[in-house]
Amino acid sequence: MSRPRRRLPVAGAAVVAGSISALTIPLLRFAGVDVSAAAEAFARIALDVIAPTTAAFCLGLVAVRRHDGDRPVWALLAIGTAGWAVGSLVWAWYLHNGEPLPVPSPADAGFVAFPVMWCAALLTRSTRGGPSGGATLNARALDLVDGAITALSTLLVLWVVASNVAGVDQHETSTAVTMLYPVASTVSLTLLFRTSRRCSNDRQAFSLLTAGLVFQVLGDLGFLVTTHLLRSSETVPSAVDTAWVIAFTLIAGAAWVAAPGEQPGPRRDHRRQRGILPIGLACVAATAALVDLTSTSGHTWTVATLVLVMLLMLTRQTLTLSVNRRISGKLVTSVRSVEREAGHDRLTGLANRRHLNKRLQDLIDDRTEQAGDRRSPGVLFLDIDMLKPVNDSLGHEMGDHLIRVVAERLRARWGDDAVRFGGDEFVVLLRDCPSTGSVERQAARLARDMHEPVDVEGTILQPSVSVGVTIVDDESTPTELLRRADVALYHAKSTGKGCSASYGPDIEDRSAQRIALAPQLRRAVDWGELELHYQPVVHVDTGVVRSAEALLRWRHPEEGIITPDRFLHEADALGLLPEIGRRSLLEAARRFARINERLDGPGICVSVNLSASELGPEIVTHVEEALADSGLPPELLVLEITEDVIIDETVRRTLAEIRNRRVGIAIDDFGTGNSSLRQLGEYPASVLKIDRSFVSSIGSGEHGSVDDSRIVRAVTELATRMGMATVVEGVETPQQAQALAALGCKYFQGWLIDRAVPFDELERRWIQGSVSSERALRRIRNGIGADEVSSVDAQTRTGV
Amino acid sequence: MVAVHAWQQNDDTGLPLSVDIHRQELTYGGLLSDLDELLGARRGDIRLQISEAALMDPACQGTVEQLVQAGYLLSVREFGTAASSLRRLGSLGFPTIRFDRSFMTGLGGRSTEQLVLETVVALAAEMGVVVGVDGVTQQRQVESLLDLGITRAQGGLFGRPTGWDGFASRHLPGQGREAPFVWHPRTTGEAERSLSGGTS
C-alpha cells in the first residue's frame, strides 16, 4: 500500500479556500478595482455551489473506489453533501430570478438532507465492527440517547437565546427552520465523535471530517445569529460563507485522504470520555433554561424540554452503568481464572505444585495438633508407567490423553488433594486416614484400579501407575516427605510396574545403593565392564547346540559378576540401554560370525535380548550395522522380545522390517505376560520361548502341573503348526527334560545343559572343532554328574 | 430376573441360563450376596459369563474365586483376545469358554484363528472344558465348527436376542408350536444336529 496521505495539505487548502472566500473582494476593492454588488453576489453564490459539489464529488469517488465495509458510509456522506449542493443551487436559482424564498423553501429540503444523511452514515459506521469490535446493542442505544440529548439541549439553548435575547416571536417559522440546521449539525458532530472513538480506522480522514463539521456548525450558527437573531443582514454575510467554504474544503480533503483505502488505526481502549459534548450541552441547556425560567414567567415547553433532557441523561447514566458493571464482571472473572490457572495445571485441571509445600506443611501441622486423635496422614507419589512408549508410538496427543485419564481418576477419588507434580508425576495428600495400614491399602487399591482400560478414539489404553507411599511422622518436613515418597516410588517401579511400595529403612538402603550404582554404571559402559555370557540351547534328541542366548553381565571390580536384574532398570532410567544393546549386538554378531566360519553344517544361532525401550526404529540400523560389521548370516541372528512389549502398528512395522532382513524374532517368557492367543499369529516371530514357570511346575508334580503340561504340549503344537520353533527355558533336572521331551518339546535351555558362561568357556566346552553333542545327551539322560557339580557355582540364575 | 424364575420352573429344559457379569461388577465386593439374593440358591443352574480380560485382571480375581467356590458355573467369553487364560482354566471348576466373535472371520484354511481353535479344542477336551463360539453368521462357519468338534454356537444365524416370551416360544420345547432346537429364521438340518450334541 502506498504511503498514507497526510492532513497538512488539506489544512493548507482549507486556509487558502477560506482566504479566497473572505478576502478576494475586499482586496480587489482595496486595490481599487470596482466590483459591482451583482458580481460579488454571483461570485459568492458560485463558491457556495462549487464547494459542496466538489466535496460531494470527492466523497462519491471514495464510495466508488473503496470496497471495504465503510463503502456505504462514504456513499451516505456523499449523498448528504450533494443534497447541500442541490440546496445551494436552488437558492441560487431563486436569487437569480429575484423571487423571494418561501419558508420553508425547496432549498431547505436539500440543505436538511446534509445533516440527516450524515447522521445515517455515522450510525451505519458505528454498527460496523472495527478492529476494536463492533458496537453492542447497548452502545447503539447510547448513540441515540446522546444524539437526542444534543438535539434537545442545542434546541433549548438556541430557543432561549432567540426568544429572550433577540426577542424572536416563537411563532416565526423562518427562525425555527433556520434553527434546525445548527441543531442537526451538532447531532451529526456528536455521532461523529462517538464513532471515531469506537472505530479508529481512517483516523486522519475522520478528524478532517470532524473539523469540517465544526466549521459547518459555526457557519449554521453564524447564519442563524446574523440573519435571524441580530437581523444585521438580510443576505448571507461573507464570514458565514467562508465558514461553509472551509467546511466543504475540509470534507473534500477528508475524501482525498480516505480515497486510497482503509488505514488501520491504533487500538483504542474504551476509557476515554465520549459523553463530554452531550453532557456539556445539557449543562448549558439547563443553565439557559434556569435563566429563562427565573427571568421570565417561563414557557411550559422550556420546562418540558428540560425534563426530557434530564430523563435522557438518566437513561444515559443507567446505560453506562450497566456497561461498566459488565466490564467489571468480566474483569473479576478473568482475574479469578488467572488466579486459578496459576495454581492449577492446564492439561489436567488438577492443582499444580505451586502451593504443594505449604499444603504438605499443613498436613504435618494437622497431625501434630491432633496428636491424640491417632490419625495418620500419608502422601502418595505416583507416576504413569510406560508413558514414553505411548508417546513414541501412539503420539504425544495420546500420551496427553493418558495423563488426563489418570488425573481424572485421581480427581474423582481425592478431588483437590490430587496434585500434578509435573510430567507424568502426581502427588496425593491423604488427610483422613485412620491408620498406616489404611494408607497402604488405599495406595494398593489405587494402583490396582488404575488398570481399568479406557477407549480413547478407538485405541484401548490401559493406564498403569506405580505408587510410592510415605506416612507423615514427627520428623516430617515437606521436602523429606516428597523425597521419601519418591524413593518408595522408585522401589515400586523397580519391583514391577503397576504396584505400590511403602517407604521404610530397607528401601532407604536400597535407594542409597542405587544412587551409588548410577555413576558406576556409566563408568561400566565406558570402560567395557559389561560383557556377554552365553547359554547354549540344545536339541533334545541329538544333543547338538543349535543356538546360544547372549545374556548381559556386569563384571564389577568389587562385587564380581552382577546379573541384569540388579542394574537393567537403572540403566534404562539413565538412558544407557540403546547403547548397551547396540554393543551387545555388535559383539554377539562378531563372535558367532567367527565360529560359524569354522563350522560346517547348519550353524549356530545367537539370540540377543531387547527391552521395550530399545525397540524404536533405530534398532533396524543397529541390526544392519552388526550384520555388516561381522558378516554373520542374518538367519543366524535372533532378537528376543518379551510379550510385555506393546505390539502396536509402529512396533509391528519395526519387527516386520527385521524379519524382512531374515533376522529371527523370539518371544521370550511366553505364557506370563499380556499376549493373547490371537496375537500369537500377529507377531512376526520365528521362535517361542516357553516360560520357566511352566517347566518348574512340570517337574515338581505340584497342583496344576497336569494342566501345565497339557498347555505346554498344546502351545508347542500350535507354535510348530504356525511355523515357529519352541524353546523351553529353565530346564534343571533330567525328569523335567524327559517330561518335556514327551510333550513334544525339542529345544532345551537351562542349568541341566549349562549356565551362561563367558564366550571362551562356551567355545571350549561346546564348540571344540565340531559341535559337541555327547556332553549334552549325557546330561539330559543322567543329570549333572557328581564331578561337574562344582562347576555350577553359587552364581545367580540365568535369565533376564 | 423374571426370566430366571420362568427358566427354573421349566425344569425339564436341562439348560443352564447364562448371565453376563462385567468387570465393574467383579471389582465391586458384594457381587456374590447380590447374586444369591436375585437368583435363588440354584447356583449350579446359572452360568456366569466373564470376559477373558476381566478374568485375568488381578483386581477381579478375589471375586472370581469366591464365585467358583460358591458353585456357580463360569463361562469365559471373548476367549483368545486378552492375556492368555489357559493356565487359569483348571482352577475355575468346570468352566466353558466361548471364543470371541473375531475368530469366526478366519475360520477354515490354515489361518491363525483356525490353528488356535484346533489347539484349544484339543486342549479343552483333555481339561474337561466345554468350548463354544460367538458370532456365527454363516452356514459355512457351522460346517467348519462341526469339523473342529465345536458343538455350541451362538450368533445371528440361530437367533437374535429376544425377550423371554419370544425366546421360549421359539427355542424351548413344549412352549411353542415348534419342535425343540428349531432355529429361526434360517433353519438347517446341520445346525440342528450340531446343537443336539455329538461331534461329527
Side-chain angles (χ1 to χ4, degrees):
Chain A
M1 192 182 276
S2 61
R3 257 186 64 196
R5 294 181 179 169
R6 305 180 58 105
R7 281 174 293 188
L8 202 62
V10 178
V15 170
V16 170
S19 310
I20 291 174
S21 162
L23 302 176
T24 313
I25 290 176
L27 277 179
L28 282 175
R29 291 224 169 105
F30 183 73
V33 180
D34 179 34
V35 183
S36 69
E40 182 191 350
F42 178 77
R44 282 176 46 193
I45 286 192
L47 209 57
D48 272 350
V49 173
I50 290 167
T53 310
T54 317
F57 180 72
C58 291
L59 289 170
L61 267 186
V62 176
V64 169
R65 279 213 202 153
R66 304 245 317 221
H67 295 281
D68 49 52
D70 269 350
R71 190 178 195 179
V73 175
W74 291 103
L76 285 170
L77 291 179
I79 292 170
T81 316
W84 187 277
V86 170
S88 300
L89 258 179
V90 173
W91 188 350
W93 179 259
Y94 275 98
L95 282 185
H96 175 72
N97 291 352
E99 293 171 26
L101 276 156
V103 174
S105 71
D108 283 319
F111 291 134
V112 164
F114 179 79
V116 168
M117 285 299 158
W118 274 53
C119 284
L122 297 168
L123 283 174
T124 310
R125 180 169 155 87
S126 67
T127 61
R128 194 196 149 213
S132 29
T136 59
L137 197 66
N138 208 325
R140 220 170 304 160
L142 260 181
D143 282 351
L144 291 177
V145 170
D146 272 2
I149 290 176
T150 314
L152 287 174
S153 305
T154 319
L155 196 62
L156 185 59
V157 171
L158 290 178
W159 190 259
V160 167
V161 169
S163 62
N164 286 1
V165 179
V168 174
D169 178 19
Q170 47 180 299
H171 299 294
E172 199 175 315
T173 329
S174 152
T175 311
V177 170
T178 316
M179 209 175 271
L180 281 182
Y181 290 108
V183 170
S185 301
T186 318
V187 171
S188 307
L189 194 60
T190 314
L191 291 176
L192 186 55
F193 276 140
R194 291 188 57 85
T195 67
S196 322
R197 290 275 177 272
R198 201 169 297 132
C199 309
S200 53
N201 289 357
D202 288 323
R203 202 160 54 93
Q204 312 257 336
F206 272 81
S207 64
L208 286 172
L209 283 183
T210 311
L213 209 49
V214 166
F215 275 96
Q216 182 74 25
V217 172
L218 288 177
D220 288 349
L221 276 176
F223 183 66
L224 175 72
V225 169
T226 49
T227 56
H228 287 87
L229 303 188
L230 304 179
R231 298 177 190 279
S232 60
S233 127
E234 279 301 308
T235 56
V236 183
S238 82
V240 171
D241 260 350
T242 307
W244 281 334
V245 167
I246 293 176
F248 286 111
T249 315
L250 287 171
I251 289 167
W256 175 74
V257 168
E262 190 165 359
Q263 299 290 335
R267 275 189 81 87
R268 277 253 182 95
D269 51 36
H270 291 253
R271 273 176 307 175
R272 308 259 304 255
Q273 277 295 331
R274 294 183 198 139
I276 283 188
L277 188 62
I279 290 173
L281 278 172
C283 289
V284 173
T287 320
L290 209 63
V291 169
D292 182 41
L293 290 175
T294 47
S295 63
T296 67
S297 59
H299 300 100
T300 326
W301 69 266
T302 313
V303 180
T305 316
L306 189 63
V307 167
L308 206 55
V309 168
M310 290 304 140
L311 279 179
L312 284 169
M313 290 284 282
L314 266 178
T315 316
R316 183 176 202 288
Q317 289 319 101
T318 317
L319 285 173
T320 320
L321 209 64
S322 82
V323 170
N324 286 354
R325 200 171 300 137
R326 211 176 48 236
I327 290 174
S328 64
K330 270 187 201 159
L331 194 67
V332 167
T333 324
S334 73
V335 164
R336 285 208 186 121
S337 85
V338 164
E339 264 174 10
R340 198 189 139 68
E341 264 174 31
H344 283 77
D345 172 56
R346 197 177 285 263
L347 177 68
T348 62
L350 289 184
N352 61 20
R353 61 194 286 187
R354 201 168 123 106
H355 300 302
L356 184 59
N357 263 12
K358 187 177 171 305
R359 294 175 67 185
L360 285 169
Q361 190 59 54
D362 289 349
L363 200 66
I364 296 164
D365 295 345
D366 263 15
R367 181 187 176 277
T368 0
E369 273 169 29
Q370 312 205 348
D373 201 16
R374 292 187 54 78
R375 281 192 317 167
S376 61
V379 175
L380 307 185
F381 203 117
L382 53 132
D383 87 356
I384 303 175
D385 301 320
M386 309 285 281
L387 182 65
K388 193 177 167 339
V390 170
N391 272 338
D392 289 353
S393 59
L394 303 175
H396 281 264
E397 215 161 287
M398 203 50 88
D400 284 352
H401 259 297
L402 187 58
I403 293 175
R404 269 202 293 267
V405 166
V406 170
E408 206 39 64
R409 290 177 182 183
L410 292 178
R411 198 208 325 267
R413 175 79 181 75
W414 285 288
D416 219 28
D417 284 340
V419 175
R420 185 174 180 213
F421 194 72
D424 60 348
E425 294 177 321
F426 299 86
V427 171
V428 175
L429 310 178
L430 300 178
R431 299 176 181 286
D432 298 309
C433 284
S435 66
T436 314
S438 149
V439 173
E440 283 166 6
R441 271 197 302 280
Q442 285 197 46
R445 221 176 92 195
L446 164 65
R448 208 182 56 209
D449 291 353
M450 201 55 89
H451 284 103
E452 177 76 20
V454 57
D455 187 336
V456 178
E457 293 152 16
T459 311
I460 305 286
L461 291 178
Q462 188 170 27
S464 164
V465 295
S466 301
V467 189
V469 185
T470 187
I471 306 293
V472 178
D473 61 21
D474 293 336
E475 287 106 57
S476 300
T477 63
T479 329
E480 176 64 13
L481 276 178
L482 283 182
R483 192 194 68 83
R484 288 182 181 180
D486 195 16
V487 167
L489 168 64
Y490 191 91
H491 182 72
K493 264 190 132 50
S494 58
T495 48
K497 293 180 165 128
C499 60
S500 68
S502 296
Y503 177 82
D506 51 326
I507 290 185
E508 184 68 57
D509 290 349
R510 248 177 281 184
S511 156
Q513 275 179 17
R514 179 168 55 79
I515 290 165
L517 200 65
Q520 292 181 17
L521 194 54
R522 284 182 197 281
R523 185 201 61 199
V525 174
D526 291 344
W527 292 7
E529 287 174 10
L530 297 180
E531 53 188 57
L532 289 177
H533 286 197
Y534 300 86
Q535 187 173 35
V537 176
V538 300
H539 191 277
V540 65
D541 296 334
T542 61
V544 173
V545 177
R546 296 304 313 279
S547 152
E549 181 180 0
L551 294 160
L552 198 60
R553 294 289 182 268
W554 180 2
R555 194 176 287 279
H556 195 277
E558 287 139 36
E559 298 185 37
I561 301 287
I562 299 178
T563 49
D565 52 327
R566 276 185 59 199
F567 66 83
L568 211 59
H569 187 78
E570 189 62 29
D572 196 2
L574 291 171
L576 294 171
L577 276 188
E579 179 57 19
I580 294 175
R582 183 176 151 269
R583 291 193 197 184
S584 303
L585 269 174
L586 277 173
E587 190 197 320
R590 211 174 287 156
R591 299 251 193 217
F592 278 77
R594 229 178 49 221
I595 290 188
N596 280 301
E597 269 170 26
R598 287 197 272 114
L599 291 176
D600 309 329
I604 301 177
C605 299
V606 61
S607 59
V608 178
N609 287 282
L610 285 186
S611 66
S613 58
E614 289 171 84
L615 218 59
E618 71 278 358
I619 187 65
V620 181
T621 332
H622 291 173
V623 166
E624 280 178 343
E625 182 193 2
L627 291 176
D629 173 78
S630 62
L632 182 74
E635 53 280 4
L636 293 183
L637 181 63
V638 176
L639 303 182
E640 291 194 9
I641 57 170
T642 59
E643 37 173 10
D644 294 341
V645 171
I646 303 173
I647 294 286
D648 62 25
E649 243 344 279
T650 328
V651 174
R652 204 193 308 281
R653 217 176 300 131
T654 309
L655 291 180
E657 268 184 57
I658 292 172
R659 283 294 283 151
N660 285 343
R661 286 164 175 75
R662 288 178 294 144
V663 172
I665 305 281
I667 302 172
D668 211 355
D669 303 340
F670 180 80
T672 57
N674 291 322
S675 75
S676 66
L677 288 173
R678 215 186 145 58
Q679 271 185 334
L680 207 51
E682 294 174 8
Y683 289 108
S686 50
V687 179
L688 196 65
K689 297 188 84 168
I690 295 174
D691 188 64
R692 59 181 67 243
S693 62
F694 285 96
V695 179
S696 54
S697 100
I698 285 172
S700 66
E702 67 188 48
H703 173 72
S705 65
V706 184
D707 285 346
D708 271 356
S709 50
R710 284 173 180 152
I711 291 168
V712 167
R713 189 174 60 212
V715 169
T716 310
E717 195 189 312
L718 180 60
T720 314
R721 297 181 63 188
M722 286 181 175
M724 287 186 263
T726 41
V727 173
V728 196
E729 293 178 281
V731 183
E732 291 179 8
T733 66
Q735 292 78 22
Q736 286 173 348
Q738 277 145 26
L740 288 165
L743 294 173
C745 300
K746 292 285 181 251
Y747 296 104
F748 290 176
Q749 177 181 354
W751 277 18
L752 179 64
I753 317 299
D754 206 346
R755 63 198 166 86
V757 292
F759 183 77
D760 296 337
E761 207 160 325
L762 181 87
E763 205 173 13
R764 186 172 57 73
R765 283 194 203 163
W766 296 99
I767 318 167
Q768 279 295 340
S770 66
V771 179
S772 117
S773 58
E774 292 78 22
R775 185 185 170 90
L777 284 177
R778 199 170 61 237
R779 288 188 164 204
I780 289 168
R781 292 197 192 106
N782 309 322
I784 304 166
D787 56 316
E788 288 172 303
V789 170
S790 58
S791 72
V792 181
D793 51 39
Q795 276 183 359
T796 350
R797 285 186 172 194
T798 58
V800 179
Chain B
M1 284 302 139
V2 177
V4 174
H5 298 296
W7 188 282
Q8 287 176 351
Q9 281 155 20
N10 213 339
D11 260 4
D12 51 345
T13 56
L15 288 174
L17 173 66
S18 294
V19 178
D20 272 11
I21 304 291
H22 288 275
R23 188 195 291 242
Q24 285 88 340
E25 294 166 321
L26 284 171
T27 48
Y28 155 69
L31 180 67
L32 182 59
S33 54
D34 283 5
L35 280 177
D36 282 348
E37 195 175 312
L38 287 168
L39 304 178
R42 300 182 57 176
R43 293 165 173 171
D45 287 353
I46 310 292
R47 199 174 274 288
L48 303 179
Q49 306 215 26
I50 301 174
S51 72
E52 187 175 48
L55 187 68
M56 296 308 284
D57 185 343
C60 303
Q61 296 197 351
T63 313
V64 170
E65 268 151 36
Q66 277 179 15
L67 292 174
V68 172
Q69 276 165 17
Y72 280 106
L73 300 179
L74 292 193
S75 170
V76 184
R77 62 189 156 84
E78 292 160 34
F79 184 84
T81 55
S84 165
S85 53
L86 287 176
R87 285 187 95 176
R88 286 210 68 203
L89 292 180
S91 63
L92 295 177
F94 293 94
T96 59
I97 56 178
R98 261 167 59 202
F99 271 94
D100 187 66
R101 54 183 66 242
S102 61
F103 279 86
M104 286 302 101
T105 55
L107 214 54
R110 290 194 56 78
S111 64
T112 308
E113 288 84 1
Q114 174 78 13
L115 291 176
V116 169
L117 278 170
E118 284 177 15
T119 308
V120 174
V121 166
L123 180 63
E126 289 178 18
M127 293 169 79
V129 170
V130 178
V131 178
V133 292
D134 224 342
V136 180
T137 52
Q138 295 162 16
Q139 189 52 41
R140 191 174 53 78
Q141 292 169 337
V142 174
E143 283 151 24
S144 302
L145 289 174
L146 287 174
D147 288 344
L148 279 167
I150 294 177
T151 57
R152 282 166 184 253
Q154 184 176 349
L157 182 60
F158 306 122
R160 300 188 183 286
T162 61
W164 166 255
D165 292 337
F167 177 80
S169 68
R170 207 173 273 167
H171 300 308
L172 289 185
Q175 295 271 333
R177 289 168 279 111
E178 294 171 339
F181 302 123
V182 174
W183 306 108
H184 191 83
R186 273 173 282 179
T187 308
T188 67
E190 281 88 340
E192 231 172 283
R193 273 206 303 284
S194 79
L195 282 121
S196 53
T199 54
S200 55

